[in-house]
Coordinates of all heavy atoms in Angstrom, one line a residue:
M15 N 71.9 102.2 -161.7 CA 71.0 102.0 -162.8 C 71.6 102.5 -164.1 O 72.3 103.5 -164.1 CB 69.7 102.8 -162.5 CG 69.1 102.6 -161.1 SD 68.8 100.9 -160.8 CE 68.7 100.9 -159.0
N16 N 71.2 101.9 -165.2 CA 71.7 102.3 -166.5 C 70.6 103.1 -167.3 O 69.7 102.5 -167.8 CB 72.1 101.0 -167.2 CG 72.7 101.3 -168.5 OD1 72.7 102.5 -169.0 ND2 73.2 100.3 -169.2
A17 N 70.8 104.4 -167.3 CA 69.8 105.2 -168.0 C 69.9 105.0 -169.5 O 69.0 105.5 -170.3 CB 70.0 106.6 -167.7
A18 N 70.9 104.3 -170.0 CA 71.1 104.1 -171.5 C 70.3 103.0 -172.0 O 70.3 102.7 -173.2 CB 72.6 104.0 -171.8
L19 N 69.6 102.2 -171.2 CA 68.9 101.0 -171.7 C 67.7 101.5 -172.6 O 67.2 102.6 -172.3 CB 68.3 100.2 -170.5 CG 69.3 99.4 -169.7 CD1 68.7 98.8 -168.5 CD2 70.0 98.4 -170.5
P20 N 67.4 100.7 -173.6 CA 66.3 101.2 -174.5 C 64.9 100.9 -174.1 O 64.1 100.6 -174.9 CB 66.7 100.4 -175.8 CG 67.2 99.1 -175.3 CD 68.0 99.5 -174.0
F21 N 64.7 100.9 -172.8 CA 63.3 100.6 -172.3 C 62.8 101.9 -171.6 O 63.5 102.6 -171.0 CB 63.4 99.5 -171.2 CG 64.0 98.2 -171.7 CD1 65.3 97.9 -171.5 CD2 63.3 97.4 -172.6 CE1 65.9 96.8 -172.0 CE2 63.9 96.2 -173.1 CZ 65.2 95.9 -172.8
R22 N 61.5 102.0 -171.7 CA 60.9 103.2 -171.0 C 59.6 102.8 -170.4 O 58.9 101.8 -170.8 CB 60.7 104.3 -171.9 CG 59.7 104.1 -173.0 CD 59.7 105.3 -174.0 NE 58.9 105.0 -175.2 CZ 57.7 105.5 -175.4 NH1 57.2 106.4 -174.5 NH2 57.0 105.2 -176.4
D23 N 59.2 103.5 -169.4 CA 58.0 103.3 -168.6 C 56.8 103.8 -169.5 O 56.7 105.0 -169.8 CB 58.1 104.0 -167.3 CG 56.9 103.6 -166.4 OD1 55.9 103.1 -166.8 OD2 57.1 103.9 -165.2
L24 N 55.9 102.9 -169.8 CA 54.7 103.3 -170.6 C 53.6 103.9 -169.8 O 52.6 104.4 -170.4 CB 54.2 102.1 -171.5 CG 55.2 101.5 -172.5 CD1 54.6 100.3 -173.2 CD2 55.6 102.6 -173.5
S25 N 53.7 103.8 -168.5 CA 52.7 104.3 -167.6 C 53.3 105.2 -166.5 O 53.3 104.8 -165.3 CB 51.8 103.2 -167.0 OG 51.2 102.4 -168.0
P26 N 53.9 106.3 -166.9 CA 54.7 107.0 -165.9 C 53.8 107.6 -164.8 O 54.3 108.0 -163.7 CB 55.4 108.2 -166.7 CG 54.6 108.3 -167.9 CD 54.0 106.9 -168.2
D27 N 52.5 107.7 -165.0 CA 51.6 108.2 -163.9 C 51.0 107.1 -163.1 O 50.2 107.5 -162.2 CB 50.5 109.1 -164.6 CG 51.1 110.3 -165.3 OD1 52.2 110.8 -164.9 OD2 50.5 110.7 -166.3
A28 N 51.3 105.9 -163.3 CA 50.8 104.8 -162.5 C 51.2 104.9 -161.1 O 52.3 105.4 -160.8 CB 51.2 103.4 -163.1
P29 N 50.3 104.5 -160.1 CA 50.7 104.5 -158.7 C 52.0 103.7 -158.5 O 52.2 102.6 -159.1 CB 49.5 103.9 -158.0 CG 48.4 103.9 -159.0 CD 49.0 103.9 -160.4
R30 N 52.9 104.2 -157.6 CA 54.1 103.5 -157.4 C 54.1 102.9 -156.0 O 53.5 103.4 -155.1 CB 55.3 104.5 -157.4 CG 55.4 105.3 -158.7 CD 56.0 104.4 -159.8 NE 55.7 104.9 -161.1 CZ 56.5 104.7 -162.1 NH1 57.6 104.0 -162.0 NH2 56.2 105.1 -163.3
V31 N 54.9 101.9 -155.8 CA 55.1 101.3 -154.5 C 56.6 101.2 -154.3 O 57.4 101.1 -155.3 CB 54.5 99.9 -154.3 CG1 52.9 100.0 -154.3 CG2 54.9 99.0 -155.4
R32 N 57.0 101.2 -153.1 CA 58.5 101.2 -152.8 C 58.9 99.7 -152.6 O 58.3 99.0 -151.9 CB 58.8 102.0 -151.5 CG 60.2 101.9 -151.1 CD 60.9 103.1 -150.7 NE 60.8 104.2 -151.6 CZ 61.2 105.4 -151.3 NH1 61.7 105.7 -150.1 NH2 61.0 106.4 -152.2
V33 N 60.0 99.4 -153.3 CA 60.7 98.1 -153.0 C 62.2 98.5 -152.7 O 62.5 99.6 -152.8 CB 60.6 97.2 -154.3 CG1 59.2 97.0 -154.7 CG2 61.4 97.8 -155.5
T34 N 62.9 97.5 -152.4 CA 64.4 97.7 -152.2 C 65.1 96.8 -153.2 O 64.7 95.7 -153.4 CB 64.9 97.5 -150.8 OG1 64.6 96.2 -150.4 CG2 64.2 98.5 -149.8
L35 N 66.1 97.3 -153.8 CA 67.0 96.6 -154.7 C 68.4 96.7 -154.2 O 69.0 97.8 -154.1 CB 66.9 97.1 -156.1 CG 67.8 96.4 -157.1 CD1 67.5 95.0 -157.3 CD2 67.8 97.2 -158.5
D36 N 68.9 95.6 -153.7 CA 70.3 95.6 -153.1 C 70.4 96.6 -152.0 O 71.4 97.3 -151.9 CB 71.4 95.8 -154.2 CG 71.4 94.7 -155.2 OD1 71.0 93.5 -154.9 OD2 71.8 94.9 -156.3
G37 N 69.3 96.8 -151.2 CA 69.3 97.7 -150.1 C 68.9 99.1 -150.4 O 68.7 99.9 -149.5
A38 N 68.8 99.5 -151.7 CA 68.5 100.8 -152.1 C 67.0 100.9 -152.4 O 66.5 100.0 -153.1 CB 69.3 101.3 -153.3
P39 N 66.3 102.0 -152.0 CA 64.9 102.1 -152.3 C 64.7 102.4 -153.8 O 65.5 103.0 -154.4 CB 64.5 103.3 -151.5 CG 65.7 104.1 -151.2 CD 66.9 103.1 -151.2
L40 N 63.6 101.8 -154.3 CA 63.3 102.0 -155.7 C 61.7 102.0 -155.8 O 61.1 101.1 -155.2 CB 63.8 100.8 -156.5 CG 63.7 100.8 -158.0 CD1 64.4 102.0 -158.6 CD2 64.3 99.5 -158.6
D41 N 61.2 103.0 -156.5 CA 59.7 103.1 -156.6 C 59.3 102.5 -158.0 O 59.8 103.0 -159.0 CB 59.3 104.5 -156.5 CG 59.5 105.0 -155.0 OD1 59.4 104.2 -154.1 OD2 59.8 106.2 -154.9
L42 N 58.5 101.5 -158.0 CA 58.0 100.9 -159.2 C 56.5 100.9 -159.4 O 55.8 101.0 -158.3 CB 58.5 99.4 -159.2 CG 60.0 99.2 -159.2 CD1 60.3 97.7 -159.1 CD2 60.7 99.8 -160.4
P43 N 56.0 100.8 -160.6 CA 54.5 100.8 -160.8 C 53.9 99.6 -160.1 O 54.3 98.4 -160.3 CB 54.3 100.7 -162.3 CG 55.7 100.9 -162.9 CD 56.7 100.6 -161.8
D44 N 52.9 99.8 -159.2 CA 52.2 98.8 -158.5 C 51.5 97.8 -159.5 O 50.8 98.3 -160.4 CB 51.2 99.4 -157.6 CG 50.6 98.4 -156.6 OD1 51.2 97.4 -156.4 OD2 49.5 98.8 -156.0
G45 N 51.8 96.5 -159.3 CA 51.1 95.5 -160.1 C 51.8 95.3 -161.5 O 51.3 94.4 -162.2
A46 N 52.8 96.0 -161.8 CA 53.5 95.8 -163.1 C 54.3 94.6 -163.1 O 54.6 94.0 -162.1 CB 54.4 97.0 -163.4
N47 N 54.6 94.1 -164.3 CA 55.5 92.9 -164.4 C 56.8 93.4 -163.8 O 57.4 94.4 -164.2 CB 55.6 92.5 -165.9 CG 56.6 91.4 -166.1 OD1 57.8 91.6 -166.1 ND2 56.1 90.2 -166.2
L48 N 57.4 92.5 -162.9 CA 58.6 92.9 -162.2 C 59.8 93.1 -163.1 O 60.5 94.1 -163.0 CB 58.9 91.9 -161.1 CG 60.2 92.2 -160.3 CD1 60.1 93.5 -159.6 CD2 60.4 91.1 -159.3
A49 N 60.0 92.2 -164.0 CA 61.1 92.3 -165.0 C 61.0 93.6 -165.8 O 62.0 94.3 -166.0 CB 61.2 91.1 -165.8
A50 N 59.8 93.8 -166.4 CA 59.6 95.0 -167.2 C 59.8 96.3 -166.4 O 60.4 97.2 -166.9 CB 58.2 95.0 -167.8
A51 N 59.3 96.3 -165.2 CA 59.4 97.5 -164.3 C 60.9 97.8 -164.0 O 61.3 98.9 -164.0 CB 58.6 97.3 -163.1
L52 N 61.7 96.7 -163.7 CA 63.1 96.9 -163.4 C 63.8 97.4 -164.7 O 64.7 98.3 -164.6 CB 63.7 95.6 -162.9 CG 63.3 95.2 -161.5 CD1 63.8 93.8 -161.1 CD2 63.8 96.2 -160.4
L53 N 63.5 96.8 -165.8 CA 64.2 97.3 -167.0 C 63.9 98.7 -167.3 O 64.8 99.5 -167.6 CB 63.8 96.4 -168.2 CG 64.3 95.0 -168.3 CD1 63.6 94.2 -169.4 CD2 65.8 95.0 -168.5
A54 N 62.6 99.1 -167.1 CA 62.2 100.5 -167.4 C 62.8 101.4 -166.4 O 63.0 102.6 -166.7 CB 60.7 100.6 -167.3
A55 N 63.2 100.9 -165.2 CA 63.9 101.7 -164.2 C 65.4 101.8 -164.4 O 66.1 102.4 -163.6 CB 63.6 101.2 -162.8
G56 N 65.8 101.1 -165.5 CA 67.3 101.2 -165.8 C 68.1 100.1 -165.2 O 69.3 100.2 -165.3
V57 N 67.5 99.1 -164.7 CA 68.2 97.9 -164.2 C 68.4 96.9 -165.3 O 67.5 96.3 -165.7 CB 67.5 97.3 -163.0 CG1 68.3 96.1 -162.4 CG2 67.2 98.3 -161.9
G58 N 69.6 96.8 -165.8 CA 69.9 95.9 -166.9 C 70.4 94.5 -166.5 O 70.1 93.5 -167.2
S59 N 71.1 94.4 -165.5 CA 71.6 93.2 -165.0 C 70.9 92.7 -163.7 O 70.9 93.5 -162.7 CB 73.1 93.3 -164.7 OG 73.7 92.1 -164.2
F60 N 70.3 91.5 -163.8 CA 69.6 91.0 -162.6 C 70.4 90.1 -161.7 O 70.0 89.8 -160.6 CB 68.3 90.3 -163.1 CG 67.2 91.2 -163.6 CD1 67.5 92.4 -164.2 CD2 65.9 90.8 -163.5 CE1 66.5 93.2 -164.6 CE2 64.9 91.6 -164.0 CZ 65.2 92.8 -164.5
R61 N 71.5 89.6 -162.3 CA 72.3 88.7 -161.5 C 73.6 88.5 -162.4 O 73.7 88.9 -163.5 CB 71.7 87.3 -161.3 CG 71.4 86.5 -162.6 CD 70.7 85.2 -162.4 NE 70.5 84.5 -163.7 CZ 71.2 83.6 -164.2 NH1 72.3 83.1 -163.5 NH2 70.9 83.0 -165.3
A62 N 74.6 87.7 -161.8 CA 75.7 87.3 -162.5 C 75.8 85.8 -162.4 O 75.4 85.2 -161.4 CB 77.0 87.9 -161.9
T63 N 76.3 85.2 -163.5 CA 76.3 83.7 -163.4 C 77.3 83.2 -162.4 O 78.3 83.8 -162.2 CB 76.7 83.1 -164.8 OG1 78.0 83.6 -165.1 CG2 75.7 83.6 -165.9
P64 N 77.0 82.1 -161.8 CA 77.9 81.6 -160.7 C 79.2 81.0 -161.2 O 80.2 80.9 -160.5 CB 77.1 80.5 -160.0 CG 76.0 80.1 -161.0 CD 75.8 81.3 -161.9
V65 N 79.3 80.7 -162.5 CA 80.5 80.1 -163.1 C 81.5 81.2 -163.6 O 82.6 81.3 -163.1 CB 80.2 79.1 -164.2 CG1 81.5 78.6 -164.8 CG2 79.4 77.9 -163.6
S66 N 81.0 82.0 -164.5 CA 81.9 83.0 -165.1 C 81.7 84.4 -164.5 O 82.5 85.3 -164.7 CB 81.6 83.1 -166.6 OG 80.4 83.7 -166.9
G67 N 80.6 84.7 -163.9 CA 80.3 86.0 -163.3 C 79.7 86.9 -164.4 O 79.6 88.1 -164.2
A68 N 79.3 86.4 -165.6 CA 78.8 87.2 -166.6 C 77.4 87.7 -166.2 O 76.6 87.0 -165.6 CB 78.6 86.4 -167.9
P69 N 77.1 89.0 -166.6 CA 75.8 89.6 -166.2 C 74.7 88.9 -167.0 O 74.9 88.6 -168.2 CB 76.0 91.0 -166.5 CG 77.1 91.1 -167.6 CD 78.0 89.9 -167.3
R70 N 73.5 88.8 -166.4 CA 72.3 88.3 -167.0 C 71.2 89.2 -166.7 O 71.0 89.7 -165.7 CB 72.0 86.9 -166.5 CG 73.0 85.8 -167.0 CD 72.8 85.6 -168.5 NE 73.7 84.5 -169.0 CZ 74.8 84.8 -169.6 NH1 75.3 86.0 -169.7 NH2 75.6 83.8 -170.1
G71 N 70.3 89.3 -167.7 CA 69.0 90.0 -167.5 C 67.9 89.4 -168.4 O 68.2 88.4 -169.1
P72 N 66.7 89.8 -168.3 CA 65.6 89.2 -169.0 C 65.8 89.1 -170.5 O 66.4 90.0 -171.1 CB 64.4 90.2 -168.7 CG 64.8 90.9 -167.5 CD 66.3 91.0 -167.5
F73 N 65.4 88.0 -171.0 CA 65.5 87.7 -172.5 C 64.2 87.4 -173.1 O 63.7 88.0 -174.0 CB 66.6 86.6 -172.7 CG 66.8 86.3 -174.1 CD1 67.5 87.2 -175.0 CD2 66.3 85.1 -174.7 CE1 67.7 86.9 -176.3 CE2 66.5 84.8 -176.0 CZ 67.2 85.7 -176.8
C74 N 63.6 86.3 -172.6 CA 62.3 85.8 -173.3 C 61.1 86.5 -172.7 O 60.1 86.6 -173.5 CB 62.2 84.3 -173.1 SG 61.8 83.8 -171.4
M75 N 61.1 87.0 -171.5 CA 59.9 87.6 -170.8 C 58.7 86.7 -170.8 O 57.6 87.2 -170.7 CB 59.6 88.9 -171.5 CG 60.6 90.0 -171.4 SD 61.0 90.5 -169.7 CE 59.6 91.5 -169.3
M76 N 58.9 85.4 -170.9 CA 57.7 84.4 -170.8 C 58.1 83.2 -170.0 O 57.4 82.2 -170.2 CB 57.3 84.1 -172.2 CG 58.3 83.4 -173.1 SD 57.5 83.1 -174.7 CE 58.8 82.0 -175.4
G77 N 59.1 83.2 -169.1 CA 59.3 82.1 -168.2 C 60.1 81.0 -168.8 O 60.2 79.9 -168.1
A78 N 60.7 81.1 -169.9 CA 61.4 80.0 -170.6 C 62.9 80.0 -170.4 O 63.5 79.0 -170.2 CB 61.1 80.0 -172.1
C79 N 63.6 81.2 -170.3 CA 65.0 81.2 -170.4 C 65.7 81.3 -169.0 O 66.9 80.9 -168.9 CB 65.5 82.4 -171.2 SG 65.3 84.0 -170.4
F80 N 65.0 81.7 -168.0 CA 65.5 81.8 -166.6 C 66.7 82.8 -166.5 O 67.4 82.9 -165.5 CB 66.0 80.5 -166.1 CG 64.8 79.6 -165.7 CD1 64.1 78.9 -166.7 CD2 64.4 79.4 -164.4 CE1 63.1 78.1 -166.4 CE2 63.3 78.6 -164.1 CZ 62.7 77.9 -165.1
D81 N 66.9 83.7 -167.5 CA 67.9 84.7 -167.4 C 67.5 85.9 -166.5 O 68.3 86.8 -166.2 CB 68.3 85.3 -168.8 CG 69.4 84.4 -169.4 OD1 70.0 83.6 -168.7 OD2 69.6 84.5 -170.6
C82 N 66.2 85.9 -166.1 CA 65.7 87.0 -165.2 C 65.7 86.7 -163.8 O 65.1 87.4 -163.0 CB 64.3 87.4 -165.7 SG 63.1 86.1 -165.4
L83 N 66.4 85.6 -163.4 CA 66.4 85.2 -162.0 C 66.9 86.3 -161.1 O 67.9 87.0 -161.4 CB 67.2 83.9 -161.8 CG 66.7 82.7 -162.4 CD1 67.7 81.5 -162.1 CD2 65.4 82.3 -161.9
I84 N 66.2 86.5 -160.0 CA 66.5 87.6 -159.0 C 66.0 87.1 -157.7 O 65.0 86.3 -157.6 CB 65.9 88.9 -159.4 CG1 66.5 90.1 -158.6 CG2 64.4 88.9 -159.3 CD1 66.2 91.4 -159.1
E85 N 66.6 87.5 -156.6 CA 66.1 87.1 -155.3 C 65.0 88.0 -154.8 O 65.2 89.2 -154.8 CB 67.3 87.0 -154.3 CG 68.1 85.8 -154.4 CD 69.2 85.7 -153.3 OE1 69.0 86.4 -152.3 OE2 70.1 85.0 -153.4
V86 N 63.9 87.4 -154.5 CA 62.7 88.2 -154.0 C 62.4 87.7 -152.6 O 62.1 86.5 -152.4 CB 61.5 88.0 -154.9 CG1 60.3 88.8 -154.4 CG2 61.9 88.4 -156.4
D87 N 62.6 88.6 -151.6 CA 62.4 88.2 -150.2 C 63.1 86.9 -149.9 O 62.6 86.0 -149.2 CB 60.9 88.1 -149.9 CG 60.1 89.4 -150.1 OD1 60.8 90.4 -150.0 OD2 59.0 89.3 -150.5
G88 N 64.4 86.8 -150.4 CA 65.2 85.7 -150.0 C 65.1 84.4 -150.9 O 65.7 83.4 -150.6
V89 N 64.1 84.4 -151.8 CA 63.9 83.3 -152.6 C 64.2 83.6 -154.1 O 63.7 84.7 -154.6 CB 62.4 82.8 -152.5 CG1 62.1 81.6 -153.4 CG2 62.1 82.5 -151.1
T90 N 64.9 82.8 -154.8 CA 65.2 83.0 -156.2 C 64.0 82.8 -157.0 O 63.4 81.7 -157.0 CB 66.4 82.1 -156.7 OG1 67.5 82.4 -155.8 CG2 66.7 82.4 -158.1
R91 N 63.6 83.8 -157.8 CA 62.4 83.8 -158.6 C 62.6 84.3 -160.0 O 63.6 85.0 -160.2 CB 61.3 84.6 -158.0 CG 61.0 84.4 -156.5 CD 60.0 83.3 -156.3 NE 58.8 83.4 -157.0 CZ 57.7 83.9 -156.5 NH1 57.6 84.4 -155.3 NH2 56.6 84.0 -157.3
Q92 N 61.7 84.0 -160.9 CA 61.8 84.6 -162.3 C 61.1 85.9 -162.2 O 59.8 85.9 -162.1 CB 61.1 83.6 -163.3 CG 61.9 82.3 -163.5 CD 61.0 81.4 -164.3 OE1 60.1 80.8 -163.8 NE2 61.3 81.3 -165.6
A93 N 61.8 87.0 -162.5 CA 61.2 88.3 -162.4 C 60.1 88.5 -163.4 O 59.1 89.2 -163.2 CB 62.2 89.4 -162.5
C94 N 60.2 87.8 -164.6 CA 59.2 88.0 -165.6 C 57.9 87.3 -165.3 O 56.9 87.5 -166.0 CB 59.7 87.6 -167.0 SG 59.9 85.8 -167.1
M95 N 57.8 86.5 -164.3 CA 56.6 85.8 -163.9 C 56.0 86.4 -162.6 O 55.1 85.8 -162.0 CB 57.0 84.3 -163.6 CG 57.5 83.6 -164.8 SD 56.1 83.2 -166.0 CE 56.3 84.4 -167.2
M96 N 56.5 87.6 -162.2 CA 56.0 88.2 -160.9 C 55.5 89.6 -161.2 O 55.9 90.3 -162.1 CB 57.2 88.3 -160.0 CG 57.6 87.0 -159.4 SD 58.7 87.3 -158.0 CE 57.5 88.1 -156.9
Q97 N 54.6 90.0 -160.3 CA 54.2 91.4 -160.3 C 54.9 92.2 -159.2 O 55.3 91.6 -158.2 CB 52.7 91.5 -160.0 CG 51.8 90.9 -161.1 CD 50.3 91.1 -160.8 OE1 49.9 90.9 -159.7 NE2 49.6 91.4 -161.9
V98 N 55.0 93.5 -159.4 CA 55.5 94.4 -158.4 C 54.5 94.5 -157.3 O 53.3 94.6 -157.5 CB 55.8 95.8 -159.0 CG1 56.1 96.8 -157.9 CG2 56.8 95.7 -160.1
G99 N 55.0 94.4 -156.1 CA 54.2 94.7 -154.9 C 54.9 95.5 -153.9 O 56.2 95.4 -153.8
A100 N 54.2 96.2 -153.0 CA 54.9 97.0 -152.0 C 55.7 96.2 -151.1 O 55.3 95.1 -150.7 CB 53.8 97.7 -151.2
G101 N 56.9 96.7 -150.8 CA 57.8 96.1 -149.8 C 58.6 94.9 -150.2 O 59.3 94.3 -149.4
L102 N 58.6 94.6 -151.5 CA 59.5 93.5 -152.0 C 60.9 93.8 -151.7 O 61.4 95.0 -151.9 CB 59.3 93.3 -153.5 CG 58.0 92.8 -154.0 CD1 58.0 92.6 -155.5 CD2 57.6 91.4 -153.4
T103 N 61.7 92.9 -151.2 CA 63.1 93.0 -151.0 C 63.8 92.2 -152.1 O 63.8 91.0 -152.1 CB 63.5 92.5 -149.6 OG1 62.8 93.2 -148.6 CG2 65.0 92.7 -149.4
L104 N 64.4 93.0 -153.0 CA 65.1 92.4 -154.2 C 66.6 92.4 -154.0 O 67.1 93.4 -153.5 CB 64.7 93.1 -155.5 CG 63.2 93.4 -155.7 CD1 63.0 94.3 -156.9 CD2 62.5 92.0 -155.9
S105 N 67.2 91.3 -154.4 CA 68.7 91.4 -154.4 C 69.2 90.6 -155.6 O 68.6 89.6 -156.0 CB 69.3 90.8 -153.1 OG 68.9 89.5 -152.9
R106 N 70.3 91.0 -156.1 CA 70.9 90.4 -157.3 C 72.1 89.6 -156.9 O 73.1 90.2 -156.5 CB 71.3 91.5 -158.3 CG 70.1 92.3 -158.8 CD 70.5 93.4 -159.7 NE 71.2 94.5 -159.0 CZ 71.6 95.6 -159.5 NH1 71.4 95.8 -160.8 NH2 72.1 96.6 -158.8
P107 N 72.0 88.3 -157.1 CA 73.2 87.5 -156.8 C 74.3 87.8 -157.8 O 74.1 87.7 -159.0 CB 72.7 86.0 -157.0 CG 71.2 86.1 -157.0 CD 70.9 87.5 -157.5
M108 N 75.4 88.3 -157.3 CA 76.5 88.7 -158.2 C 77.8 88.0 -157.9 O 78.1 87.8 -156.8 CB 76.7 90.2 -158.0 CG 75.6 91.1 -158.5 SD 75.4 91.0 -160.3 CE 74.1 92.2 -160.5
G109 N 78.5 87.6 -158.9 CA 79.8 87.1 -158.8 C 79.9 85.6 -158.8 O 78.9 84.9 -158.8
K110 N 81.1 85.2 -159.0 CA 81.4 83.8 -159.2 C 81.3 83.1 -157.8 O 81.6 83.7 -156.8 CB 82.8 83.6 -159.8 CG 82.9 84.1 -161.2 CD 84.3 84.1 -161.7 CE 85.0 82.8 -161.7 NZ 86.3 82.9 -162.4
V111 N 81.0 81.8 -157.8 CA 81.0 81.0 -156.6 C 82.5 80.6 -156.4 O 83.1 80.1 -157.4 CB 80.1 79.8 -156.8 CG1 80.2 78.8 -155.6 CG2 78.7 80.2 -156.9
A112 N 83.0 80.7 -155.2 CA 84.3 80.3 -154.9 C 84.6 78.8 -155.2 O 83.7 78.0 -154.9 CB 84.7 80.6 -153.4
E113 N 85.7 78.5 -155.8 CA 86.0 77.1 -156.1 C 86.7 76.4 -155.0 O 87.4 77.0 -154.2 CB 86.8 77.1 -157.4 CG 86.0 77.6 -158.6 CD 86.8 77.6 -159.9 OE1 87.8 76.9 -160.0 OE2 86.4 78.4 -160.7
Ligands
FES221 S1 63.0 86.5 -169.0 FE1 63.2 84.5 -169.6 S2 62.4 83.4 -167.9 FE2 62.2 85.4 -167.4

């Protein structure tokens, strides 16, 4: 996690639920926007592009750019279009696709 990101949790006392991110436990605010919750938790990169391997993270926060793609329970989803829920299994596709 990157504690240097300029995002902060606006509801630090909100009830938390446990999810996993790349196999590590992470407690996020229940019902919060998933992309915003991950950014506030210090997660800046949600995936790497399959061509160059460049890191990507949320940009528009309204479902237009697709830079927030992340795997949720094995399905690639837009994190900015989802809510945090207990037990989500999140993984970040990282790295270039072999040629
Ligand atoms: S941040 Fe742009 S689609 Fe999610």
Side-chain angles (χ1 to χ4, degrees):
M15 311 302 161
N16 183 353
L19 288 173
F21 304 101
R22 65 186 173 107
D23 190 344
L24 296 178
S25 303
D27 298 329
R30 305 280 161 157
V31 292
R32 175 138 309 170
V33 304
T34 60
L35 176 63
D36 297 332
L40 184 62
D41 293 328
L42 299 176
D44 191 18
N47 177 278
L48 179 58
L52 289 171
L53 288 170
V57 179
S59 177
F60 285 29
R61 65 182 178 99
T63 63
V65 175
S66 69
R70 288 289 183 266
F73 181 70
C74 73
M75 297 297 284
M76 61 181 192
C79 73
F80 287 77
D81 273 346
C82 64
L83 292 178
I84 193 167
E85 282 186 15
V86 181
D87 297 331
V89 179
T90 303
R91 308 276 306 267
Q92 291 170 285
C94 71
M95 297 284 102
M96 290 194 63
Q97 290 183 321
V98 173
L102 294 178
T103 301
L104 310 172
S105 60
R106 297 179 286 183
M108 294 292 184
K110 294 169 62 170
V111 173
E113 296 175 23

